[in-house]
Amino acid sequence: MAQLVRTETSQPAPPPARRSLRPSWAWIGVLPFFGFVAAFLFYPALSIVVQTFFDRERRPTLQNLLDLNQPFIISSYVYTIELSAVTAVVGGLLGFLLAYAVTIGRLPGWVRSSLLTFSGVASNFAGVPLAFAFIATLGQLGLVTQALKSLGISLYPSFSLYSFWGLAITYIYFQIPLMVLIMAPALDGLRPEWREAAENLGASGWQYWRQIALPILLPSILGTTALLFGNAFGAHATAFALTGGGSQGNVVTILIGAQLSSDALANPGLGNALAFGMIVIMTATIGLYTWLRRRSERWIQ
């Protein structure tokens, strides 16, 4: 035995693998991606940040940031934050229930595949086409509006598609499918052994969800809700197409467009400062989503 041990320990260790000094050509495949990100993400963001601190004569100034304290700008940020929060919470709740139904609710397989396919399309169906679809459906002469009117139910003037709740309903249309797409893999990650172990220990279904499943899914739910908030906060084309840039659609993105391109009210410095504030909010939202997502992945793996 001692001889065998000596024989095993006396074997020379294998030589360390030599690292190849030849450059990897795989980098060529990702160079277009980095070029695209630099041209359409980092350069515009850096340009906005730099131009925020210069006036029309290209002199350094902080006046653009100080002008953000004006009442109509503060009300615009409050309006946009409230709109984004409402659509994120409602869209997140309904999207979670839909994702639960198709993953754990034991619905037929074709329902899951159909819903996920529709969610992939609907989550990207925004902008002018979405606004036109809702005008044709819930506008004053829309199909649903006229159908309800024929039944004696009049939506207008108590409801308006061009008001806060009209915008909220339109945003929720693309918030729900985005929640479904993100939460379905997270719900699939719940292992059946966890529920079986809880049931063997005498836990009810409500106790399993309250003490095991929800604590595991909570970072993913909160992170996805934060992502929905950022998704609504950055929406521009849908709100502009619905409101035409009027005062009813007092969202930040429309205000930025008015300051950068309007003939009468153009103030590029203030527009860049508004965009700078929006970048700060979006960066915080994405950072919160990334942090919560990493916490949830520790359990789902």
Side-chain angles (χ1 to χ4, degrees), residues 122-272:
S123 61
N124 293 286
F125 186 64
V128 177
L130 178 63
F132 176 77
F134 268 84
I135 291 173
T137 305
L138 290 176
Q140 292 188 1
L141 300 177
L143 294 175
V144 175
T145 304
Q146 294 302 313
L148 292 176
K149 191 175 182 179
S150 64
L151 297 175
I153 303 174
S154 180
L155 292 179
Y156 291 83
S158 57
F159 169 79
S160 174
L161 185 60
Y162 316 106
S163 64
F164 176 89
W165 289 108
L167 277 177
I169 292 174
T170 310
Y171 281 19
I172 288 172
Y173 180 82
F174 58 79
Q175 297 278 56
I176 293 175
L178 182 59
M179 185 73 176
V180 172
L181 290 177
I182 298 177
M183 285 307 304
L187 288 167
D188 285 332
L190 290 177
R191 299 177 183 175
E193 296 86 357
W194 297 342
R195 187 174 190 121
E196 293 172 359
E199 291 176 350
N200 290 335
L201 293 174
S204 63
W206 165 244
Q207 289 175 323
Y208 163 73
W209 274 99
R210 183 169 59 88
Q211 298 181 0
I212 298 176
L214 281 180
I216 294 173
L217 292 174
L218 190 59
S220 184
I221 294 173
L222 294 179
T224 309
T225 304
L227 183 65
L228 296 183
F229 177 87
N231 190 37
F233 196 90
H236 170 70
T238 303
F240 188 85
L242 277 178
T243 64
S247 58
Q248 289 180 331
N250 192 23
V251 298
V252 173
T253 52
I254 293 179
L255 198 59
I256 294 173
Q259 295 297 328
L260 294 178
S261 60
S262 175
D263 295 332
L265 303 175
N267 185 352
L270 181 58
N272 284 300

Side-chain angles (χ1 to χ4, degrees), residues 54-153:
F54 287 92
D55 59 11
R56 295 175 183 269
E57 286 74 26
R58 306 299 300 168
R59 293 174 299 189
T61 181
L62 295 176
Q63 188 60 43
N64 295 324
L65 290 178
L66 297 177
D67 289 341
L68 293 178
N69 197 31
Q70 301 180 60
F72 77 99
I73 293 179
I74 294 177
S75 65
S76 177
Y77 271 103
V78 172
Y79 182 93
T80 309
I81 289 174
E82 290 178 348
L83 178 64
S84 303
V86 168
T87 59
V89 172
V90 176
L93 177 61
L94 296 179
F96 176 79
L97 294 177
L98 269 177
Y100 172 85
V102 298
T103 54
I104 306 178
R106 299 177 181 178
L107 291 179
W110 64 269
V111 176
R112 174 189 172 115
S113 59
S114 301
L115 180 62
L116 293 181
T117 302
F118 172 77
S119 298
V121 177
S123 61
N124 293 286
F125 186 64
V128 177
L130 178 63
F132 176 77
F134 268 84
I135 291 173
T137 305
L138 290 176
Q140 292 188 1
L141 300 177
L143 294 175
V144 175
T145 304
Q146 294 302 313
L148 292 176
K149 191 175 182 179
S150 64
L151 297 175
I153 303 174

